[in-house]
């Protein structure tokens, strides 16, 4: 059995940062402590931080949407992931109207099998709630799918309030949990119609037709449904102060709600939509980028531990794909890349700016998603018996994000030219060195992760 000993580094956990060596045997961590010795390959990581492998619990690889397919499939998307220290993604197996959940799960297994360079799991996105779908839920849990997603928007995906309530009630029987894309479909749909009738077709009308209150209202309604069902829930990609305030109010009323946000909502704002079409369209995502005061509220949520995870909603399209909406902003495919840049951005603009601590970075990027999505302690922590998913992170040095060095096939990054501090140096996936000093050195070794119930 191959053994590797990482010596001289500082291990990061949600409880603190401590000098410790890490011994790997095969795919597992077998010991963590000071002055370890073993008949093993010794790797000097002095001066480096050792994080548990990062988990991105919100990606969309190889997704058919907006009459096209995302630029990144599991091959390129997972390579982009490991280059950013991500050792596990939780993607969305998406049920199309008329399909069964088994159809959707099988489709995503075929998309990922043999192509992924990081480990992967699936949420189940339900777009068609029927009696036969309810009867399929136990089979999903048997196959390691324990979290589900619903949409309050998009004609092809939207579920009404009654369906969401029924799903929540049913999932509670099995210990499942529902995440929701919260936007008010009716108001947004009408605002978009009115914009086009007025000849307002430029990208800047994307945020104007999805105002902050349409998120806040939908968050309020989703959490009311959760209270009625007495079920746990997740608000995904939270983008506004108003939505965050609804989360806090619901918690005060006893609702068990978890909140996810994303780097784009922490670091970018809606001024980018004033640029030329090609520049502005790169930032079209839903929910859209918001105001500086919304960014501040979300950083405050992280600082006070009132948010739970930071994911990316990686959903990439090339500029050519974006140009489908050159004369109509409603036809621009919604989404941006992000899986590769999340960790370095959170370190640079979170930890180094004293907005969050190293322990909190570990919580939001590793341990909390592992717990929330039923992978802990297999994933998300550095301890004996856990998978040897490790990120060797150099806290020193300065760099800059460029699309040229990113692995996404979309051809750009929304953080082009952003200056960063530190960097991912090595990434181990189940004991295998998969990324080393800027190069992916081992590909397509990702495995499917069977998940248990949430525990956060």
């Amino acid at each position: 059995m191959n053994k590797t000993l990482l010596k001289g580094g500082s291990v990061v956990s949600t409880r603190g940062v401590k000098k410790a060596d890490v011994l790997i045997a095969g795919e597992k961590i077998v010991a963590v402590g000071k002055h370890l010795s073993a008949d093993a390959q010794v790797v000097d990581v002095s001066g480096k931080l050792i994080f548990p492998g990062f988990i991105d619990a919100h990606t969309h690889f190889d997704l058919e949407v907006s009459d096209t397919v995302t630029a990144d499939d599991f091959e390129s998307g997972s390579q982009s992931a490991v280059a950013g220290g991500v050792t596990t993604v939780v993607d969305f197996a998406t049920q199309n109207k008329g399909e069964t959940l088994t159809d959707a799960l099988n489709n995503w297994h075929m998309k990922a099998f043999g192509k992924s360079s990081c480990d992967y799991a699936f949420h189940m996105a339900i777009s068609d709630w029927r009696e036969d779908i309810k009867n399929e839920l136990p089979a999903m849990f048997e196959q390691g799918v324990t979290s589900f997603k619903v949409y309050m928007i998009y004609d092809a995906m939207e579920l009404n309030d009654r369906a969401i309530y029924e799903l929540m009630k049913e999932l509670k029987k099995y210990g499942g949990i529902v995440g929701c894309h919260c936007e008010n479909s009716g108001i947004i749909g009408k605002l978009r119609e009115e914009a086009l009738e007025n000849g307002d077709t430029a990208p800047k009308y994307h945020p104007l037709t999805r105002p902050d209150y349409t998120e806040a209202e939908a968050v309020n309604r989703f959490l009311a449904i959760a209270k009625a069902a007495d079920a746990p829930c997740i608000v995904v990609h939270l983008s506004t102060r108003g939505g965050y305030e609804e989360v806090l109010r619901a918690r005060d009323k006893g609702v068990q709600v978890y909140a996810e946000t994303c780097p784009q909502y922490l670091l970018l704002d809606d001024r980018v939509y004033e640029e030329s079409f090609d520049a502005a369209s790169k930032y079209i995502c839903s929910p859209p980028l918001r105001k500086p005061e919304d960014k501040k509220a979300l950083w405050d949520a992280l600082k006070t531990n009132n948010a739970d995870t930071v994911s990316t909603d990686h959903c990439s399209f090339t500029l050519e794909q974006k140009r489908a909406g050159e004369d109509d902003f409603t036809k621009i495919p919604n989404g941006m890349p992000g899986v590769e840049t999340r960790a370095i951005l959170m370190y640079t603009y979170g930890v180094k700016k004293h907005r969050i601590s190293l322990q909190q970075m570990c919580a939001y990027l590793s341990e909390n998603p592992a717990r929330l999505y039923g992978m802990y302690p297999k994933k998300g922590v550095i301890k004996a018996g856990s998978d040897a998913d490790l990120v060797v992170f150099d806290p020193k040095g300065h760099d800059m994000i460029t699309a040229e060095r990113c692995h996404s096939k979309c051809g750009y990054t929304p953080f082009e030219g952003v200056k960063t501090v530190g960097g991912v140096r090595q990434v181990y996936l189940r004991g295998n060195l998969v990324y080393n000093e800027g190069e992916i050195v081992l590909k397509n070794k990702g495995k499917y992760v069977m998940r248990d119930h949430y525990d956060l």
Side-chain angles (χ1 to χ4, degrees), residues 74-267:
F74 275 86
E75 186 171 21
S76 63
S78 66
Q79 289 177 28
S80 193
V82 296
V86 175
T87 53
T88 306
V89 297
V90 191
D91 205 83
F92 290 87
T94 300
Q95 173 213 24
N96 296 315
K97 297 284 188 184
E99 286 183 339
T100 66
L101 303 186
T102 300
D103 290 335
L105 186 56
N106 288 343
N107 287 342
W108 254 256
H109 274 301
M110 288 189 289
K111 291 172 187 283
F113 183 74
K115 297 179 182 178
S116 185
S117 294
C118 64
D119 283 354
Y120 58 93
F122 301 127
H123 310 286
M124 178 57 64
I126 297 180
S127 63
D128 199 357
W129 178 245
R130 314 182 302 260
E131 188 67 21
D132 61 309
I133 300 303
K134 182 175 77 170
N135 295 335
E136 276 194 285
L137 293 178
M140 293 297 103
F141 286 85
E142 290 169 6
Q143 296 174 79
V145 177
T146 59
S147 53
F148 298 75
K149 184 181 181 181
V150 295
Y151 292 79
M152 287 181 151
I153 196 162
Y154 305 136
D155 291 343
M157 298 297 300
E158 184 181 357
L159 292 187
N160 63 34
D161 295 352
R162 175 172 177 160
I164 295 172
Y165 170 80
E166 290 178 357
L167 173 62
M168 283 184 156
K169 289 279 284 188
E170 198 66 22
L171 287 177
K172 186 180 176 184
K173 298 176 184 177
Y174 309 105
I177 193 165
V178 176
C180 185
H181 179 137
C182 298
E183 289 187 284
N184 184 298
S185 177
I187 296 173
I188 290 171
K190 188 59 180 175
L191 289 175
R192 281 155 62 95
E193 284 180 15
E194 290 172 350
L196 295 180
E197 288 169 1
N198 292 332
D200 299 332
T201 61
K204 69 179 181 180
Y205 294 102
H206 175 68
L208 294 175
T209 57
R210 301 179 106 96
D212 57 354
Y213 57 79
T214 60
E215 178 179 89
E217 184 282 330
V219 170
N220 174 283
R221 184 159 37 97
F222 175 60
L223 299 183
I225 296 168
K227 183 170 179 60
D230 190 24
C233 64
I234 306 162
V235 175
V236 303
H237 50 50
L238 187 65
S239 70
T240 61
R241 180 176 64 182
Y244 171 50
E245 290 171 348
E246 294 294 347
V247 167
L248 294 179
R249 278 192 282 270
R251 285 176 178 161
D252 287 342
K253 296 175 183 177
V255 178
Q256 186 179 347
V257 51
Y258 302 96
E260 166 200 272
T261 192
C262 308
Q264 57 267 33
Y265 302 122
L266 295 164
L267 297 172

Side-chain angles (χ1 to χ4, degrees), residues 42-53:
V42 177
V43 180
D44 183 3
V45 292
S46 299
K48 308 295 195 302
L49 301 170
I50 308 175
F51 284 94

Side-chain angles (χ1 to χ4, degrees), residues 214-323:
T214 60
E215 178 179 89
E217 184 282 330
V219 170
N220 174 283
R221 184 159 37 97
F222 175 60
L223 299 183
I225 296 168
K227 183 170 179 60
D230 190 24
C233 64
I234 306 162
V235 175
V236 303
H237 50 50
L238 187 65
S239 70
T240 61
R241 180 176 64 182
Y244 171 50
E245 290 171 348
E246 294 294 347
V247 167
L248 294 179
R249 278 192 282 270
R251 285 176 178 161
D252 287 342
K253 296 175 183 177
V255 178
Q256 186 179 347
V257 51
Y258 302 96
E260 166 200 272
T261 192
C262 308
Q264 57 267 33
Y265 302 122
L266 295 164
L267 297 172
L268 303 173
D269 62 60
D270 61 2
R271 286 172 289 188
V272 298
Y273 297 121
E274 297 290 339
E275 300 177 16
S276 68
F277 178 87
D278 281 359
S281 66
K282 296 175 183 178
Y283 300 96
I284 296 291
C285 59
S286 292
L289 305 179
R290 304 294 190 177
K291 302 290 185 186
E293 54 264 34
D294 296 300
K295 294 192 297 184
K296 182 181 183 304
L298 295 172
W299 277 118
D300 288 345
L302 292 173
K303 188 175 185 66
T304 56
N305 299 311
N306 281 312
D308 301 284
T309 64
V310 177
S311 301
T312 64
D313 197 7
H314 182 107
C315 189
S316 60
F317 300 96
T318 65
L319 181 55
E320 192 59 37
Q321 288 174 298
K322 293 279 190 177
R323 286 176 179 153

